[in-house]
Amino acid sequence: MERVVFDTIYSYLRTNDLLSPSQHGFVRGSSTVSNLLESVTDWIHTIDTGSNIDIIYIDLRKAFDCVDYSTLFSKLSAIGIQGNILGWIISYLTLRKQLTTVEYSQSTLIDVKSGVPQGSVLGPLLFNIFVNDLPQYLMTTHSLPTSPLKLFADDIKMYHIVNNLNDALNFQSLISSLNSWCNESLLSINTDKCFIMHLGKCNLHYSYGLNGLKLPFTAQHKDLGVIIDSSLTFEKHIAVTCSKARSRCALFFKAFISRDPSSMKLFYTSFVRPLLEFSSPVWSPVSISQINMLESVQRNFTNRIPTCTYLPYQHRLSKLSLDSLQKRRLIADLVFVYSVVSGLCNTTLSPFLSFEHPINTRSHNLRLCRPSMRLSSSQQNFIARSAPSWNVLPAPVLASVSKFVFRKKVTIHCKDPYFLQR
């Protein structure tokens, strides 16, 4: 029944465009790439124009447990969730009780007066509906054309262009408004876990406050699993990722006696490679040193597989039926572009992603305009990085009927750079 209610509500929200785009991914359990990529693309383009950006990362204290029922029911009714569906949700959430068990002892039952069930099918969707009016609240209060924040469940970040004192005062006003909304919604901000990050070479590092306390600065912050640094080079993220992947490889050789090639490959593809590819469209490098740093993890592990020892790297890849990490990141980029272009992904990367005018050549009519970037460091951004490879894809690949089919075709079409070095 819970799944039926979820599908009914989610379909209604999608049909009527009532759910913030950045929230769709969390509700459906997909990746965090859309949320991060929208933010990072905006930041890189803004900094490339010579402007500066200040970001605040907001931490809500026990957000799922503090959802007020009366407020939630009012918001559900306001967006059109009424009748039997609303009645079922009210019945689902109210009159619940909880207790604590320690070994053979139990506490007394107490009433659950707030919060949506974590780990349930419906809980994430109800929480998203509860906070979904926050972007519109800020836009209306400050007469903004677009939302200054990104939401992903209870992870909130808000940013603003700050080139002078007046910009800083406006950003402080936004922070105060966000705090007011939280207070009205009975959500508590954990000030001790809120941070300010300054982006831009000429950033003046203004100070901001929340609830009478000065917010601390940070040069890097883990945003939905990706380490964002103030230079947006992702050097720290790549270094940490490689370190974790090497540690996991070392764990295999320490914990397992078997050196069966198929078992080693399975371990690598299941437990090591996902670390090296998590949200790669956000941070995929273009510098040779960073590319080699990532590739060295796969190089070293495959070289310790008995049947592959001392073989050239491209021969090991062929023998194990593996693609290089560089090729796999390129495929991930192209698959994400396909998702955006085909409408499978709830983001447009607007206004930075645009198409060239159709031309009467053998090329396709979905060619991306590669942005002209002023700074060399900006060349790492997703659109500038993926546009050249996307623009040369043949029409039959682009005509794929699904993302799965597209991935399969583009994997065959794209050549592995390490095989081209032969």
Side-chain angles (χ1 to χ4, degrees):
M1 182 63 182
E2 188 180 0
R3 171 57 68 178
V4 173
V5 173
F6 173 92
D7 291 338
T8 302
I9 296 176
Y10 186 75
S11 176
Y12 171 79
L13 296 175
R14 288 293 304 272
T15 302
N16 294 277
D17 197 24
L18 295 174
L19 194 61
S20 173
S22 61
Q23 293 288 68
H24 285 290
F26 173 72
V27 171
R28 299 303 298 185
S30 61
S31 72
T32 61
V33 174
S34 298
N35 183 292
L36 284 170
L37 203 53
E38 286 182 359
S39 303
V40 171
T41 301
D42 195 2
W43 297 342
I44 290 177
H45 279 76
T46 301
I47 293 172
D48 193 77
T49 63
S51 294
N52 305 288
I53 296 175
D54 284 349
I55 310 167
I56 180 173
Y57 286 95
I58 299 292
D59 181 80
L60 297 177
R61 183 181 286 109
K62 298 181 179 179
F64 276 67
D65 296 331
C66 295
V67 173
D68 179 68
Y69 289 152
S70 60
T71 305
L72 174 61
F73 299 152
S74 297
K75 291 184 177 182
L76 287 168
S77 179
I79 63 175
I81 306 298
Q82 298 176 348
N84 292 335
I85 296 294
L86 180 60
W88 190 94
I89 294 174
I90 293 174
S91 176
Y92 173 71
L93 293 178
T94 55
L95 301 179
R96 294 165 54 233
K97 296 181 182 293
Q98 64 182 13
L99 58 81
T100 300
T101 300
V102 178
E103 293 183 351
Y104 300 105
S105 301
Q106 291 184 342
S107 67
T108 57
L109 284 169
I110 61 173
D111 294 329
V112 178
K113 299 180 179 180
S114 65
V116 293
Q118 298 188 46
S120 65
V121 174
L122 200 54
L125 180 59
L126 295 177
F127 180 81
N128 277 271
I129 293 173
F130 187 78
V131 301
N132 198 56
D133 62 326
L134 174 55
Q136 188 61 47
Y137 171 85
L138 293 176
M139 291 168 62
T140 302
T141 303
H142 296 271
S143 301
L144 299 174
T146 58
S147 171
L149 53 76
K150 298 293 183 184
L151 299 172
F152 193 86
D154 58 341
D155 288 294
I156 301 175
K157 56 179 173 282
M158 182 168 64
Y159 56 91
H160 190 64
I161 295 177
V162 178
N163 293 325
N164 50 53
L165 179 59
N166 187 56
D167 292 337
L169 292 174
N170 289 336
F171 190 44
Q172 177 63 64
S173 179
L174 283 169
I175 295 173
S176 299
S177 295
L178 189 151
N179 188 41
S180 297
W181 181 91
C182 289
N183 291 334
E184 293 173 3
S185 301
L186 302 181
L187 294 177
S188 175
I189 295 179
N190 189 354
T191 310
D192 295 336
K193 295 184 178 180
C194 295
F195 298 95
I196 295 290
M197 181 179 287
H198 302 291
L199 305 181
K201 292 185 177 180
C202 300
N203 198 298
L204 298 174
H205 291 73
Y206 289 104
S207 299
Y208 303 95
L210 184 62
N211 290 328
L213 299 175
K214 179 182 176 181
L215 293 169
F217 303 147
T218 182
Q220 61 188 36
H221 184 78
K222 181 173 284 190
D223 186 349
L224 300 179
V226 175
I227 299 176
I228 305 293
D229 57 77
S230 56
S231 61
L232 293 180
T233 59
F234 299 101
E235 289 182 1
K236 180 67 174 179
H237 176 78
I238 292 173
V240 170
T241 297
C242 290
S243 178
K244 289 181 178 179
R246 292 191 193 98
S247 297
R248 196 162 289 186
C249 290
L251 179 63
F252 174 86
F253 295 108
K254 182 179 180 180
F256 295 92
I257 298 176
S258 173
R259 294 296 181 265
D260 175 63
S262 60
S263 298
M264 294 182 70
K265 176 185 174 182
L266 180 62
F267 175 87
Y268 173 78
T269 56
S270 300
F271 298 106
V272 179
R273 193 168 65 184
L275 288 177
L276 298 166
E277 297 180 339
F278 176 74
S279 294
S280 66
V282 178
W283 53 264
S284 183
V286 294
S287 71
I288 300 299
S289 61
Q290 292 180 335
I291 291 173
N292 290 338
M293 182 186 298
L294 289 161
E295 205 71 43
S296 67
V297 179
Q298 182 163 283
R299 280 179 178 273
N300 294 336
F301 189 87
T302 55
N303 192 49
R304 298 187 67 175
I305 296 178
T307 59
C308 299
T309 305
Y310 303 125
L311 289 177
Y313 182 50
Q314 59 268 35
H315 291 176
R316 299 201 298 271
L317 295 178
S318 179
K319 188 177 183 68
L320 295 169
S321 299
L322 292 174
D323 291 322
S324 68
L325 296 177
Q326 185 176 357
K327 177 183 176 181
R328 287 179 61 85
R329 289 194 301 274
L330 171 61
I331 293 171
D333 284 350
L334 295 176
V335 169
F336 191 84
V337 175
Y338 174 84
S339 299
V340 174
V341 171
S342 60
L344 298 176
C345 180
N346 293 290
T347 181
T348 60
L349 295 180
S350 178
F352 310 112
L353 190 148
S354 58
F355 298 96
E356 296 179 356
H357 293 296
I359 52 178
N360 294 321
T361 67
R362 294 181 180 179
S363 180
H364 58 82
N365 292 328
L366 294 174
R367 292 170 56 86
L368 299 179
C369 294
R370 186 176 186 183
S372 177
M373 311 301 288
R374 182 175 59 90
L375 302 175
S376 58
S377 59
S378 301
Q379 299 304 319
Q380 187 176 357
N381 88 85
F382 173 74
I383 300 175
R385 190 180 68 236
S386 58
S389 299
W390 172 265
N391 289 344
V392 298
L393 289 177
V397 174
L398 294 176
S400 302
V401 295
S402 68
K403 186 163 65 174
F404 174 81
V405 174
F406 176 81
R407 179 186 292 276
K408 187 175 181 180
K409 289 183 178 180
V410 82
T411 300
I412 297 173
H413 172 78
C414 292
K415 305 302 181 183
D416 197 311
Y418 288 88
F419 283 86
L420 297 177
Q421 294 174 7
R422 300 171 66 178

